[in-house]
Amino acid sequence: GTMGQTAAGLAFSPDAEQRFLYVADLGDSQVAILNRKTLDVLGTFGKPGANPGEFGTLHHLAVDSKGSIYTAEIGRGRRAQKFVPTVGGRP
């Protein structure tokens, strides 16, 4: 990461095995998707910015029972966004 990879929030996938761990990466303004058992990074989404799908100061995230990911920003962003997973499990 470019700014120290600050993990600002964590959430587990809603499946019974909780196979995925979602990490709100404040420093890189993205959400990382990890294999919960190995902690290998499977993918990321998001980038710095103010447009939909981009993050200002990504500070928290949560996942609902359907696997949708909700993110919250602090500072100038001060907004929440919702990401709905696709068939492959990524928003």
Side-chain angles (χ1 to χ4, degrees):
T2 54
M3 297 174 68
Q5 296 180 331
T6 304
L10 302 171
F12 295 100
S13 58
D15 54 291
E17 301 83 27
Q18 291 186 318
R19 291 174 296 162
F20 305 111
L21 173 64
Y22 303 103
V23 180
D25 183 343
L26 180 124
D28 288 333
S29 296
Q30 65 185 11
V31 173
I33 304 166
L34 280 61
N35 175 309
R36 185 180 63 88
K37 289 183 180 175
T38 65
L39 298 182
D40 290 330
V41 177
L42 304 175
T44 62
F45 67 90
K47 64 180 182 177
N51 295 313
E54 300 175 346
F55 302 109
T57 309
L58 178 60
H59 196 258
H60 190 67
L61 81 164
V63 179
D64 69 16
S65 61
K66 292 182 170 64
S68 294
I69 300 169
Y70 299 81
T71 61
E73 297 168 54
I74 59 170
R76 284 188 299 227
R78 282 195 222 146
R79 64 176 175 170
Q81 296 187 73
K82 176 183 178 180
F83 300 90
V84 178
T86 60
V87 174
R90 290 184 58 175

